[in-house]
Amino acid sequence: MIRCLKITATRGNHVNTLQHIQGYLKKTLDVDDKAELIETIERYRLDQLPLIVPITLLRHHFRKQPDPFIDQSYYMKPYPQE
């Protein structure tokens, strides 16, 4: 566990994770929503948007199409409610 905490998260690591999470929606997103999500992740990769933007968009889609694994993910809810 401590070894994991020593690894610095990079923009590239985040992009990979966001794309992996996006894969859980591949059968439920329509063409326009998929394009918007791809563009949002790409704009994050290019440092044009903060990380919370693609996370928020993914959370929006998972509210409509819940996934139990994603619901338990700390990555998708990085900040405490309070």
Side-chain angles (χ1 to χ4, degrees), residues 4-5 14 16 22-23 25 29-30 34 36 39-40 46-47 51-52 57 60 66-67 70-72 81:
C4 291
L5 294 174
H14 283 295
N16 182 275
Q22 176 187 350
L25 295 166
L29 290 181
D30 65 28
K34 185 180 281 189
E36 178 186 34
E39 179 186 351
T40 301
L46 296 172
D47 201 16
L51 178 59
I52 195 64
L57 185 56
H60 165 77
D67 181 279
I70 299 298
D71 285 345
Q72 298 301 312
Q81 288 291 339

Side-chain angles (χ1 to χ4, degrees), residues 5-37:
L5 294 174
K6 289 183 179 183
I7 298 171
T8 303
T10 65
R11 189 168 296 277
N13 295 138
H14 283 295
V15 169
N16 182 275
T17 301
L18 292 165
Q19 290 170 336
H20 179 80
I21 293 168
Q22 176 187 350
Y24 283 82
L25 295 166
K26 67 183 172 189
K27 294 181 180 178
T28 60
L29 290 181
D30 65 28
V31 175
D32 292 336
D33 287 339
K34 185 180 281 189
E36 178 186 34
L37 186 52

Side-chain angles (χ1 to χ4, degrees), residues 58-71:
L58 282 165
R59 287 172 55 190
H60 165 77
H61 290 300
F62 281 110
R63 274 195 304 275
K64 294 180 178 182
Q65 300 294 325
D67 181 279
F69 178 74
I70 299 298
D71 285 345

